[in-house]
Amino acid sequence: MNKILRNLFCLFAVFGPVAVSAADVSERADCTTIQARINELTAIEAPTDAQSAELTQLQTQYRANCARSASGRRTASAGRASVATVAATPVAAATTSVETVIVTTASTLNEYLTSRQNLCDELKSDIDTFVANGASDAEIEPLQNQYDADCTDIDKSETVEIDAETAARNVESGLCEDGSKPNQFGCCEGETFTDMGNLVFACCPDDGGTCFPPINSGNAI
């Protein structure tokens, strides 16, 4: 036993105590700072464009550099930041640490639109390459049609409020309140064609509420 202790003492004397890298400490501090700034920005109810851009950049940086060991499903709630807390177990850690990934509806939309725009840019580049290499109009047309359909108006996220007078005129003309065309049952988006009994049919809101007669009889009955 004494021989074993002497050997351990010699190893400790040769190699010394294990040092904690200053880079590791700095990295943790940077992540804490980023997380604190993200929390500040997500608490702002009406952020400016600059604040929204900063939030998106910080979230991307946090996910890339600080949340690599996080796993699990991110969730988003309309209008507010949603927090998904997941457990992460680093290889060298004796206890379980907790990392938090914050996702907002704004960052989710921006991430999606950026991805779509990148795909459109790649498709446009491919089209230009085919044209430069002598592809015929017939060969290019399917790609160009797809580009025109998917990439000319990528961002459709803006919501337009319909005033009551306009909504009434739309219904009188055989359209839904928002001006869209009703389906074959005469119901609008968010409504389900329902058999009320005694050959009475109605369009009932999916989220509950008053049912309305179909806007037109259509040909479904």
Side-chain angles (χ1 to χ4, degrees):
M1 179 63 69
N2 290 336
K3 184 177 181 181
I4 294 176
L5 291 176
R6 283 197 302 273
N7 290 337
L8 290 175
F9 178 81
C10 291
L11 288 174
F12 182 84
V14 172
F15 295 104
V18 177
V20 177
S21 169
D24 294 340
V25 175
S26 176
E27 182 178 351
R28 288 197 296 272
D30 289 343
C31 291
T32 301
T33 302
I34 293 173
Q35 182 67 75
R37 181 56 178 162
I38 289 176
N39 292 340
E40 291 178 5
L41 292 172
T42 53
I44 300 174
E45 294 185 359
T48 63
D49 291 342
Q51 290 170 332
S52 297
E54 182 185 358
L55 176 60
T56 300
Q57 180 181 3
L58 288 175
Q59 288 173 329
T60 301
Q61 184 179 353
Y62 188 92
R63 286 195 294 268
N65 300 325
C66 305
R68 291 173 181 168
S69 59
S71 60
R73 188 174 182 179
R74 298 182 302 173
T75 59
S77 174
R80 296 186 179 179
S82 177
V83 178
T85 303
V86 293
T89 309
V91 175
T95 59
T96 300
S97 63
V98 175
E99 293 182 354
T100 301
V101 178
I102 296 180
V103 180
T104 66
T105 54
S107 66
T108 300
L109 178 61
N110 289 337
E111 185 175 343
Y112 171 77
L113 293 178
T114 299
S115 176
R116 280 286 304 277
Q117 185 61 61
N118 290 338
L119 289 174
C120 287
D121 292 342
E122 290 179 11
L123 179 57
K124 183 62 168 64
S125 177
D126 290 339
I127 292 174
D128 292 342
T129 300
F130 284 123
V131 171
N133 284 276
S136 67
D137 292 342
E139 292 173 316
I140 297 298
E141 186 176 5
L143 294 177
Q144 188 64 51
N145 290 342
Q146 191 67 49
Y147 180 87
D148 293 342
D150 290 348
C151 303
T152 54
D153 186 13
I154 295 177
D155 188 355
K156 300 180 183 295
S157 62
E158 182 178 358
T159 57
V160 179
E161 296 294 336
I162 305 297
D163 61 86
E165 184 177 347
T166 301
R169 285 200 306 267
N170 288 338
V171 173
E172 288 176 1
S173 64
L175 300 174
C176 298
E177 291 184 357
D178 61 0
S180 61
K181 185 179 179 181
N183 61 23
Q184 60 178 328
F185 302 104
C187 298
C188 299
E189 184 177 358
E191 298 176 343
T192 299
F193 186 69
T194 305
D195 185 354
M196 310 298 288
N198 297 323
L199 294 178
V200 175
F201 299 90
C203 297
C204 298
D206 295 336
D207 57 359
T210 304
C211 297
F212 298 94
I215 293 178
N216 53 58
S217 59
N219 56 6
I221 301 178

